[in-house]
Amino acid sequence: MGFSPEQNAMPPEALLEWYVEMGADEAISDAETNWFAASEAALAPASRAENAPASAPPADQAPSAAQVQRPVSAEPATDKAASALAGAAQSLEELRAALESLEGFPLKVTATNLVFGEGVETPDVMFIGEAPGAEEDRQGRPFVGASGRLLDRMMASIGLDRAENAYITNILPWRPPGNREPTAAEIAICLPFIRRHIALVRPRIIVPVGGTAAKALLDQRQGIMRLRGRRFEFADPGLEQALPAVPLFHPAFLLRSTGQKALAWRDLLTIKQIIQ
Ligand code: URA
């Protein structure tokens, strides 16, 4: 990241504060990356080759391997392209490969790992959160940070375990930088993939975890306070029949608002009743 003259004059603590406010709250590389150089390299390989000097450019002018590794594609991904890719996947492996081949989606460039999902196929319950956080991004696994540990305990309280009878994933499989909320456009691109994911996992019931997941999957406008604990139907052409869906508070919210745990417990019992 380059500095403006004003930022160069800032005391280091103020600059750090500014970074955190902008959402740059963790170092993802030891060296700074010039993404403009990366895009240029990706967009104009032919002209670069034509004009290439006979000898290699000085090391300080050449983009590093990291800079050219994951360029942002010129064409932004479209809902149509996402639907076609997702719809063609006939297995979870193919769906993962489809996500890996999606082009023009900037979160893929800023994220460290694709966080696909984990658990068993045909589970009792499929939990679907919003998007990976920092720890999930590092490990490439869903819900493994502090809120994931609480989710595991909530699941265990009604006899569910990701290794035995549950499956966990997110609406977005890549972490938004600084854990910002996903945009409507990002959700629209990822929806065909999560819909296909549900059809391929074939759970008995789905549980959107938190307001973003509940609104996106159930096409609702109300917030999680109104949606939680209610039974909805989730229909999709890839499913033989509609599935019950019961939204649940996000564990990150419960960690901040412990007074709401009683309501979450009630909702877990509703989920338990449905699977019994
Ligand atoms: N929050 C989410 O919504 N999903 C995760 O995987 C982790 C935290």
Side-chain angles (χ1 to χ4, degrees):
M1 195 180 284
F3 298 135
S4 68
E6 293 78 18
Q7 286 158 351
N8 262 335
M10 274 183 182
E13 315 79 65
L15 190 57
L16 192 60
E17 221 169 89
W18 178 81
Y19 268 135
V20 172
E21 268 172 33
M22 294 296 112
D25 56 0
E26 87 178 285
I28 54 174
S29 166
D30 289 338
E32 67 178 53
T33 298
N34 180 353
W35 292 112
F36 292 108
S39 307
E40 274 168 25
L43 287 175
S47 59
R48 243 168 219 273
E50 277 159 23
N51 302 329
S55 59
D60 61 352
Q61 284 173 26
S64 69
Q67 285 169 336
V68 291
Q69 222 170 16
R70 296 190 298 170
V72 184
S73 153
E75 296 293 328
T78 61
D79 308 4
K80 207 169 147 201
S83 293
L85 268 177
Q90 298 304 319
S91 66
L92 291 175
E93 293 71 32
E94 285 183 19
L95 187 65
R96 178 193 277 271
L99 280 164
E100 277 163 355
S101 72
L102 177 72
E103 292 192 355
F105 196 67
L107 293 189
K108 286 184 81 168
V109 180
T110 50
T112 306
N113 280 303
L114 167 73
V115 180
F116 184 69
E118 69 180 28
V120 298
E121 289 186 38
T122 60
D124 285 336
V125 184
M126 181 169 180
F127 291 87
I128 304 165
E130 176 176 316
E135 193 51 36
E136 289 77 17
D137 182 45
R138 245 188 299 276
Q139 295 192 30
R141 297 176 56 210
F143 280 103
V144 286
S147 57
R149 287 191 288 279
L150 177 55
L151 182 61
D152 280 339
R153 290 205 301 277
M154 292 162 72
M155 287 165 48
S157 73
I158 53 167
L160 295 171
D161 186 312
R162 58 177 101 188
E164 283 170 22
N165 49 9
Y167 191 97
I168 306 184
T169 186
N170 284 296
I171 301 280
L172 262 64
W174 294 282
R175 181 194 184 208
N179 292 351
R180 65 157 170 76
E181 265 189 40
T183 65
E186 287 164 352
I187 291 174
I189 299 289
C190 293
L191 260 183
F193 291 99
I194 187 63
R195 286 186 154 273
R196 191 75 193 131
H197 211 145
I198 295 168
L200 291 169
V201 168
R202 290 179 294 127
R204 290 175 59 199
I205 162 175
I206 63 166
V207 172
V209 180
T212 302
K215 285 193 259 185
L217 286 169
L218 305 175
D219 200 18
Q220 295 288 318
R221 294 198 172 177
Q222 291 177 313
I224 190 67
M225 287 291 176
R226 306 239 162 193
L227 299 176
R228 54 144 281 273
R230 283 166 55 194
R231 182 178 171 148
F232 293 84
E233 297 278 292
F234 175 84
D236 187 86
L239 289 167
E240 273 166 30
Q241 58 185 33
L243 298 175
V246 178
L248 188 65
F249 278 139
H250 198 289
F253 168 73
L254 293 173
L255 286 172
R256 294 191 303 268
S257 318
T258 46
Q260 305 289 353
K261 281 192 178 165
L263 290 178
W265 173 239
R266 200 189 287 174
D267 301 342
L268 285 164
L269 290 180
T270 304
I271 294 164
K272 188 176 177 190
Q273 264 170 12
I274 296 174
I275 55 181
Q276 277 174 350

